[in-house]
Amino acid sequence: SESTPLRGNPNRPNQKATLKKAAYSLVLLLVLCSILFSWYPLLLYQFNTCPPFSSNPNSHITCDKTPQTYGSSCQLSCPPLFYSQNLMQSTCTLTGAWNVTDLVCRPQVAAVV
Protein backbone atom coordinates (compact mmCIF):
# COMPACT_ATOMS: atom_id res chain seq x y z
CA SER A 1 0.00 0.00 0.00
CA GLU A 2 1.10 3.48 -0.75
CA SER A 3 1.55 5.99 2.09
CA THR A 4 1.42 9.76 1.79
CA PRO A 5 3.29 12.05 4.14
CA LEU A 6 1.26 14.32 6.39
CA ARG A 7 1.12 17.90 5.22
CA GLY A 8 0.94 19.39 8.68
CA ASN A 9 0.39 18.39 12.22
CA PRO A 10 -3.05 19.65 13.34
CA ASN A 11 -1.86 19.82 16.95
CA ARG A 12 1.02 22.19 16.11
CA PRO A 13 0.19 25.89 15.44
CA ASN A 14 0.91 27.22 12.01
CA GLN A 15 4.17 29.21 11.93
CA LYS A 16 2.78 31.84 9.53
CA ALA A 17 -0.17 32.51 11.82
CA THR A 18 2.14 32.80 14.83
CA LEU A 19 4.41 35.26 13.01
CA LYS A 20 1.39 37.24 11.86
CA LYS A 21 0.08 37.53 15.43
CA ALA A 22 3.53 38.61 16.67
CA ALA A 23 3.73 41.27 13.95
CA TYR A 24 0.26 42.60 14.83
CA SER A 25 1.21 42.69 18.51
CA LEU A 26 4.41 44.59 17.73
CA VAL A 27 2.57 47.12 15.56
CA LEU A 28 -0.04 47.61 18.29
CA LEU A 29 2.70 48.13 20.87
CA LEU A 30 4.47 50.69 18.66
CA VAL A 31 1.22 52.61 18.07
CA LEU A 32 0.48 52.62 21.80
CA CYS A 33 3.99 53.88 22.63
CA SER A 34 3.80 56.63 20.02
CA ILE A 35 0.48 57.81 21.48
CA LEU A 36 1.82 57.81 25.03
CA PHE A 37 5.05 59.61 24.17
CA SER A 38 3.29 62.23 22.06
CA TRP A 39 1.46 63.34 25.24
CA TYR A 40 4.64 63.37 27.31
CA PRO A 41 5.81 66.92 26.39
CA LEU A 42 2.31 68.28 26.99
CA LEU A 43 2.18 66.64 30.41
CA LEU A 44 5.61 68.04 31.27
CA TYR A 45 4.48 71.50 30.25
CA GLN A 46 1.20 71.27 32.16
CA PHE A 47 2.52 69.88 35.44
CA ASN A 48 6.11 71.10 35.44
CA THR A 49 5.69 74.79 34.72
CA CYS A 50 6.87 77.04 37.53
CA PRO A 51 4.94 80.21 38.39
CA PRO A 52 6.53 83.55 37.51
CA PHE A 53 8.36 85.46 40.21
CA SER A 54 6.64 88.52 41.65
CA SER A 55 7.96 91.77 40.29
CA ASN A 56 9.93 94.13 42.49
CA PRO A 57 11.36 97.47 41.32
CA ASN A 58 14.73 96.72 42.96
CA SER A 59 15.08 93.17 41.64
CA HIS A 60 16.11 92.22 38.13
CA ILE A 61 15.34 88.57 37.30
CA THR A 62 16.56 86.97 34.08
CA CYS A 63 15.38 83.48 33.06
CA ASP A 64 16.89 81.21 30.44
CA LYS A 65 13.53 79.91 29.09
CA THR A 66 10.01 81.22 28.65
CA PRO A 67 7.79 79.71 29.96
CA GLN A 68 9.80 78.43 32.90
CA THR A 69 9.46 74.65 32.81
CA TYR A 70 11.38 71.85 34.53
CA GLY A 71 15.13 72.48 34.45
CA SER A 72 15.00 76.17 33.55
CA SER A 73 16.75 78.61 35.83
CA CYS A 74 16.38 82.27 36.76
CA GLN A 75 19.12 84.59 37.99
CA LEU A 76 18.71 87.56 40.29
CA SER A 77 20.82 90.70 40.04
CA CYS A 78 20.63 93.46 42.62
CA PRO A 79 21.53 97.13 42.17
CA PRO A 80 24.13 98.81 44.42
CA LEU A 81 23.10 99.08 48.08
CA PHE A 82 20.73 96.10 47.74
CA TYR A 83 21.33 92.42 48.54
CA SER A 84 19.60 89.06 48.39
CA GLN A 85 18.88 87.11 51.56
CA ASN A 86 18.82 83.85 49.57
CA LEU A 87 20.76 82.42 46.68
CA MET A 88 20.97 84.46 43.49
CA GLN A 89 19.67 81.62 41.29
CA SER A 90 16.60 79.40 41.34
CA THR A 91 15.83 76.28 39.29
CA CYS A 92 12.40 74.94 38.32
CA THR A 93 11.96 71.49 39.86
CA LEU A 94 10.11 68.44 38.52
CA THR A 95 7.11 69.27 40.71
CA GLY A 96 6.65 72.71 39.12
CA ALA A 97 8.04 74.69 42.07
CA TRP A 98 11.16 76.83 42.39
CA ASN A 99 13.95 75.47 44.60
CA VAL A 100 14.54 79.04 45.89
CA THR A 101 11.14 80.70 46.19
CA ASP A 102 12.21 84.22 47.15
CA LEU A 103 14.34 86.01 44.54
CA VAL A 104 14.12 89.53 45.95
CA CYS A 105 16.67 92.28 46.46
CA ARG A 106 16.40 94.01 49.82
CA PRO A 107 17.95 97.32 50.85
CA GLN A 108 21.10 97.13 52.91
CA VAL A 109 20.87 98.69 56.33
CA ALA A 110 23.91 100.46 57.66
CA ALA A 111 24.42 101.09 61.32
CA VAL A 112 25.71 104.52 62.20
CA VAL A 113 27.84 104.65 65.33
Side-chain angles (χ1 to χ4, degrees):
S1 92
E2 190 177 315
S3 65
T4 57
L6 293 175
R7 291 200 168 235
N9 187 349
N11 296 330
R12 193 173 127 186
N14 188 355
Q15 281 185 334
K16 284 186 180 180
T18 305
L19 287 175
K20 200 173 192 180
K21 285 181 183 179
Y24 283 139
S25 296
L26 182 63
V27 167
L28 183 63
L29 180 65
L30 289 174
V31 167
L32 181 63
C33 287
S34 68
I35 290 170
L36 288 175
F37 289 121
S38 67
W39 287 96
Y40 181 72
L42 180 61
L43 290 174
L44 273 182
Y45 177 78
Q46 182 69 26
F47 297 110
N48 301 103
T49 302
C50 288
F53 286 102
S54 59
S55 63
N56 182 328
N58 299 318
S59 302
H60 181 67
I61 299 173
T62 308
C63 299
D64 61 352
K65 284 195 259 180
T66 302
Q68 291 83 36
T69 55
Y70 169 67
S72 63
S73 62
C74 293
Q75 311 258 337
L76 173 69
S77 58
C78 297
L81 302 178
F82 286 84
Y83 74 102
S84 173
Q85 287 180 328
N86 293 317
L87 297 173
M88 301 289 279
Q89 179 178 350
S90 186
T91 303
C92 186
T93 63
L94 191 59
T95 60
W98 294 104
N99 67 338
V100 176
T101 57
D102 190 27
L103 286 184
V104 177
C105 296
R106 305 199 189 293
Q108 292 181 0
V109 179
V112 178
V113 181

